[in-house]
Every structure is written in structure tokens, then in C-alpha cells.
Amino acid sequence: MEHEVTFFVVEDHTLTNRGIRQLICERSRYSCIGYAVSKSECLEKLNELSKKSKLPDILILDLFLGEESGLDILREVKTNLPSIKVIVYSMYAKPGIVSLAIEGGANGFVVKSAPETELFAAIQAVLGGNTYVQQTLVAPLFTYKTIFDGLTRQEQAVFKKLIERKSRTQIAKEMNIVERSVENYLSRIYSKTGCKNHEDLIKKFGE
């Protein structure tokens, strides 16, 4: 008899959240032990499950939860509850986003538009101790890495925060620099990446 696999879904659209849960539960060995639509609800429920020693095997995580970032959830889960395997299941899959997710500790990355077999392939891979990135996302990642490696360390830090949809003010505050410095870094980043502006950069690397 196959071992039961437990999972938890974080997705801010209620219908999509329910749909993901139903899709996975159609397979006999999978059991949903919780879901959340926000960061606070997710961390609260996971902490409760942790107290009962009932943490999920897999966390299916959307990356953009309204104003909140799934990347923040990913980092907290990987720091505090490292036994959980996290699969990012996102509409947004440009290489900058995929790179940030993998760097944050994601065990898998699948685009929502992919066939459902892709999600189950990711689940099987991460349960087996492997990292799974949807094949169509791999080549763009290499191209992105070449561009990213051409930036200075400070430019890389600003670039990552931009991909996370942070404003110039937030970036300046988090990096402890003035907004004028952020603008200077941005202009160099645009030049090195061939982007015209903030929107162009997000479209190319962060959607």
C-alpha cells in the first residue's frame, strides 16, 4: 500500500484554491490537511499543525497573494519548518521569479497553465528528494543567470527587490540607502539588461 501524502495549499483566489485541492485529492494517496489565502493564515495554520506534529509533506504555494508575496512565506517556511517540501505553482514564471523562488528554497516550480501531469511530476520528484523545474523554464533561467551575473552586487540586490514588486521607497529603506541611489542603480540595470524602464524589466524578467 502506498504511503499517504499530505499537502497544504496557499492560494488567494478561493475558487482556484478549491480547484487545486480537488484536483490533487482525486488521486487516492493524497490528503489535504489545510489551506490558506494569506500569509498570516498560512503561517498560523502551519504552526498549529507543527504543535500536533502533523505538518504537511508538500506545500503548494502561489507567489502573489494580493499585496503579499509568497516568497516571504517560502523563506519563513524553509527557515522554521524545513521538513516541508515547497512547490511554487504560479501564473508568473519569468526567469527572475523562478530564480528567486529556487534561491528561497523552493523544491519545485510549475506554471499554472501547464498540464496537470506536470504538477504531479513535480510532486513525485520532490517527494523523492529532487528539485523539479518545469522543462520549459530551464533554458530562460540560464540566459537570465548570464545577465544577472553581469550586474554588481548592489545592482543585483536592487534587481531582486524589483522582481519582488517592491517600490523604490521600499528598496531604499530595506537597503538603507537614499532613493536617489536606487534611481542610479536602476538606470545602470536598465542599461545592462536592455530594458527601457521598470515596467519593461518586470515584463521581461518578473511576470
Side-chain angles (χ1 to χ4, degrees):
M1 187 175 171
E2 284 188 304
H3 163 68
E4 182 184 71
V5 175
T6 58
F7 70 94
F8 189 105
V9 176
V10 186
E11 158 67 60
D12 67 325
H13 289 97
T14 312
L15 281 176
T16 308
N17 193 313
R18 185 186 300 166
I20 295 167
R21 283 181 275 135
Q22 287 176 344
L23 170 71
I24 299 174
C25 283
E26 282 171 6
R27 307 276 179 117
S28 58
R29 68 182 294 213
Y30 297 99
S31 170
C32 179
I33 59 168
Y35 64 93
V37 297
S38 68
K39 178 185 172 185
S40 58
E41 184 185 14
C42 168
L43 296 176
E44 193 177 309
K45 286 185 174 179
L46 288 177
N47 283 330
E48 284 303 312
L49 288 168
S50 178
K51 287 174 191 170
K52 299 172 188 171
S53 298
K54 287 185 177 176
L55 283 172
D57 298 309
I58 302 269
L59 182 73
I60 308 289
L61 176 66
D62 187 18
L63 274 191
F64 293 103
L65 310 163
E67 295 297 304
E68 297 181 323
S69 169
L71 288 165
D72 290 335
I73 295 175
L74 171 64
R75 290 170 189 137
E76 287 209 35
V77 167
K78 283 297 169 182
T79 301
N80 301 317
L81 305 165
S83 68
I84 301 175
K85 309 281 189 189
V86 180
I87 295 174
V88 171
Y89 194 45
S90 174
M91 281 173 51
Y92 302 99
K94 288 287 173 72
I97 288 285
V98 180
S99 179
L100 276 177
I102 299 300
E103 190 181 299
N107 302 92
F109 200 113
V110 176
V111 187
K112 283 181 181 170
S113 57
E116 61 189 59
T117 50
E118 194 83 47
L119 179 58
F120 286 105
I123 291 172
Q124 288 304 314
V126 303
L127 286 173
N130 300 308
T131 298
Y132 185 97
V133 177
Q134 189 175 317
Q135 193 57 45
T136 54
L137 307 177
V138 175
L141 260 182
F142 283 110
T143 308
Y144 167 80
K145 184 155 174 39
T146 305
I147 294 168
F148 186 78
D149 287 347
L151 304 176
T152 67
R153 190 171 295 176
Q154 284 287 80
E155 288 164 2
Q156 288 177 348
V158 171
F159 190 36
K160 284 180 182 179
K161 291 181 187 298
L162 269 182
I163 299 291
E164 282 197 60
R165 309 287 206 276
K166 293 193 172 164
S167 68
R168 290 164 172 76
T169 308
Q170 282 176 298
I171 294 170
K173 187 177 178 185
E174 288 181 18
M175 292 183 64
N176 201 23
I177 56 178
V178 296
E179 277 194 55
R180 182 70 201 149
S181 295
V182 175
E183 293 292 345
N184 290 338
Y185 287 129
L186 285 177
S187 114
R188 280 182 239 153
I189 290 166
Y190 298 150
S191 170
K192 290 180 181 182
T193 57
C195 295
K196 296 189 288 290
N197 52 36
H198 188 166
E199 291 69 29
D200 194 25
L201 188 134
I202 291 291
K203 192 173 179 183
K204 193 168 180 180
F205 299 107
E207 282 190 344

